[in-house]
């Protein structure tokens, strides 16, 4: 579903991604971990051309992303959940969820609302359909953001540290929704510091440092028998 070939990204003189090669198969749950500043978020943002690679190639379901076709390809295939919730504060939850299905995917208002209520039920917030996002907790807003991503009915959902802006008490409620989603046939790429989630949900874990993929493998391999010293050092600090 996703293929990155020799992707490099510079911000000015800063070389953020260095020849990143990565494939994500249909339905796979890929978790990307690593220290801050390692290029994890930039990697995910290059997958949907929110950041355009300086050089290299990105393919989505066999089609190469270009600046010319990115809007169409991304709209049809990819949704994204950000660190910040990015909900429209002047719109109700229901309006936030039906906006893309009606405007971008040309569904009727009735179809879009049925879809919205279905995914509000999935994230456990059907009673919040007619309130405004600012009245909700951070955890609730992020669950609404996940429901919004699901309403687009794309094959791929990217998550860029979806719990990093949350109060510790609300992190688990968002992770519980993501654990539930992981049982569905959706391709998920998740940047996170939540090692318990990675261990429970990932089909494969990728460790990044200094703009490169240092090691990858199953959660069992990763958390019980990592090979790279940089990975061992990181896990030694974070799992103590």
């Amino acid at each position: 579903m996703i293929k990155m070939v020799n992707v490099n990204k510079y911000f000015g003189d800063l070389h953020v991604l260095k020849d990143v090669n990565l494939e994500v198969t249909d339905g796979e749950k890929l978790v990307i971990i690593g220290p801050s500043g390692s290029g994890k978020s930039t990697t995910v943002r290059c997958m949907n051309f929110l950041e355009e690679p300086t050089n290299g190639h990105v393919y989505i379901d066999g089609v190469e992303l270009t600046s010319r076709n990115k809007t169409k390809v991304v709209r049809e295939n990819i949704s994204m959940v950000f660190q910040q919730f990015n909900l429209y504060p002047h719109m109700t939850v229901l309006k936030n969820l039906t906006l893309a299905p009606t405007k971008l995917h040309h569904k009727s208002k009735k179809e879009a609302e049925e879809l919205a209520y279905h995914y509000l039920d999935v994230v456990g917030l059907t009673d919040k359909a007619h309130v405004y996002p600012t009245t909700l907790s951070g955890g609730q807003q992020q669950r609404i953001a996940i429901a919004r991503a699901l309403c687009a009915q794309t094959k791929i959902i990217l998550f860029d540290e979806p719990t990093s802006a949350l109060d510790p008490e609300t992190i688990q409620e968002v992770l519980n929704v993501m654990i539930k989603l992981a049982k569905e046939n959706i391709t998920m790429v998740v940047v996170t510091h939540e090692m318990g989630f990675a261990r429970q949900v990932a089909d494969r874990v990728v460790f990044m440092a200094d703009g490169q993929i240092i090691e990858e493998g199953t959660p069992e391999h990763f958390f019980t028998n990592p090979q790279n010293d940089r990975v061992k050092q990181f896990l030694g600090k974070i799992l103590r």
Side-chain angles (χ1 to χ4, degrees):
M1 289 301 290
I2 305 170
K3 185 176 182 180
M4 304 179 78
V5 180
N6 297 331
V7 170
N8 286 270
K9 178 64 180 179
Y10 287 85
F11 292 108
D13 293 331
L14 187 61
H15 196 178
V16 178
L17 296 183
K18 303 168 184 174
D19 287 321
V20 170
N21 290 280
L22 184 62
E23 291 190 35
V24 186
T25 59
D26 186 16
E28 186 176 14
K29 317 310 179 216
L30 179 78
V31 173
I32 303 176
I33 65 173
S36 296
S38 59
K40 305 183 301 295
S41 291
T42 304
T43 297
V44 168
R45 291 171 70 88
C46 281
M47 289 177 180
N48 62 358
F49 264 40
L50 279 178
E51 296 291 352
E52 194 166 334
T54 306
N55 53 57
H57 307 275
V58 178
Y59 300 87
I60 302 298
D61 201 12
V63 178
E64 183 169 6
L65 273 183
T66 66
S67 55
R68 187 168 290 181
N69 73 5
K70 64 180 179 181
T71 301
K72 182 178 187 295
V73 174
V74 169
R75 183 184 295 169
E76 290 177 354
N77 292 283
I78 304 175
S79 300
M80 187 160 182
V81 178
F82 299 87
Q83 295 177 33
Q84 300 298 332
F85 323 121
N86 292 347
L87 298 170
Y88 294 110
H90 63 290
M91 294 181 180
T92 64
V93 164
L94 186 63
K95 185 67 176 173
N96 267 277
L97 267 58
T98 58
L99 189 63
T102 54
K103 298 292 186 185
L104 299 181
H105 302 292
H106 310 297
K107 291 188 181 295
S108 68
K109 182 182 177 185
K110 182 174 182 292
E111 286 176 316
E113 288 189 352
E114 285 175 355
L115 205 58
Y117 276 110
H118 171 72
Y119 287 119
L120 282 173
D121 183 52
V122 168
V123 302
L125 290 171
T126 47
D127 59 328
K128 302 300 184 185
H130 298 291
V131 306
Y132 289 88
T134 51
T135 67
L136 302 175
S137 71
Q140 288 173 327
Q141 288 189 62
Q142 192 61 296
R143 283 152 67 194
I144 296 298
I146 292 171
R148 179 180 59 183
L150 289 166
C151 281
Q153 296 188 296
T154 56
K155 302 171 186 175
I156 302 164
I157 303 183
L158 309 177
F159 296 83
D160 184 12
E161 299 197 31
T163 59
S164 65
L166 299 180
D167 183 293
E169 291 182 349
T170 61
I171 287 174
Q172 194 58 48
E173 67 186 48
V174 173
L175 291 178
N176 287 342
V177 169
M178 293 173 65
I179 289 165
K180 188 175 176 183
L181 284 188
K183 296 171 183 173
E184 304 293 326
N185 188 32
I186 301 171
T187 304
M188 294 170 61
V189 180
V190 185
V191 174
T192 186
H193 290 290
E194 300 295 334
M195 296 300 110
F197 172 83
R199 203 166 198 161
Q200 182 175 351
V201 167
D203 296 312
R204 185 161 49 110
V205 178
V206 166
F207 182 88
M208 293 191 71
D210 304 317
Q212 297 174 300
I213 293 173
I214 302 298
E215 189 167 346
E216 58 183 286
T218 64
E220 183 180 4
H221 156 85
F222 230 90
F223 293 107
T224 61
N225 190 32
Q227 300 300 301
N228 185 279
D229 288 340
R230 183 71 183 84
V231 181
K232 291 176 184 177
Q233 181 187 14
F234 176 81
L235 292 175
K237 289 178 179 177
I238 208 164
L239 296 177
R240 278 190 303 195

